[in-house]
Amino acid sequence: MIINVNHQPKEITKTTDLGNLLLALQISTNGIAVAVNNKIITKSLWEATQLSENDEVTIIQATQGG
C-alpha cells in the first residue's frame, strides 16, 4: 500500500506500524515528533499505531540553534 511521508509517497506492507516505518526509514527516534493525518502520535503509541492506505505521516526533527 502507499502512504505519504513528509509529502513523499512510500510503499509499505499492510501490517506496518509507525514504529516499524521509522526503523525501515532509518530515522533516529530521538528528538522527533510524528503525526499521522495531522494528529500527533506520542512515542509510547508508535508501535500500536497501524498505518493505512493513503495515510499522511509527518516527521519533524528537532534541531539545535542559537
Side-chain angles (χ1 to χ4, degrees), residues 37-54:
N37 300 323
N38 295 317
K39 181 181 177 194
I40 297 291
I41 308 297
T42 60
K43 191 172 188 174
S44 63
L45 295 177
W46 287 353
E47 291 183 10
T49 303
Q50 282 298 126
L51 297 170
S52 300
E53 183 83 25
N54 297 318

Side-chain angles (χ1 to χ4, degrees), residues 7-56:
H7 306 288
Q8 299 294 318
K10 300 286 182 192
E11 187 170 348
I12 62 171
T13 64
K14 290 184 179 185
T15 59
T16 301
D17 61 53
L18 191 53
N20 285 328
L21 173 68
L22 296 171
L23 283 174
L25 296 175
Q26 299 180 347
I27 294 175
S28 172
T29 58
N30 294 326
I32 66 170
V34 182
V36 177
N37 300 323
N38 295 317
K39 181 181 177 194
I40 297 291
I41 308 297
T42 60
K43 191 172 188 174
S44 63
L45 295 177
W46 287 353
E47 291 183 10
T49 303
Q50 282 298 126
L51 297 170
S52 300
E53 183 83 25
N54 297 318
D55 274 350
E56 294 285 337

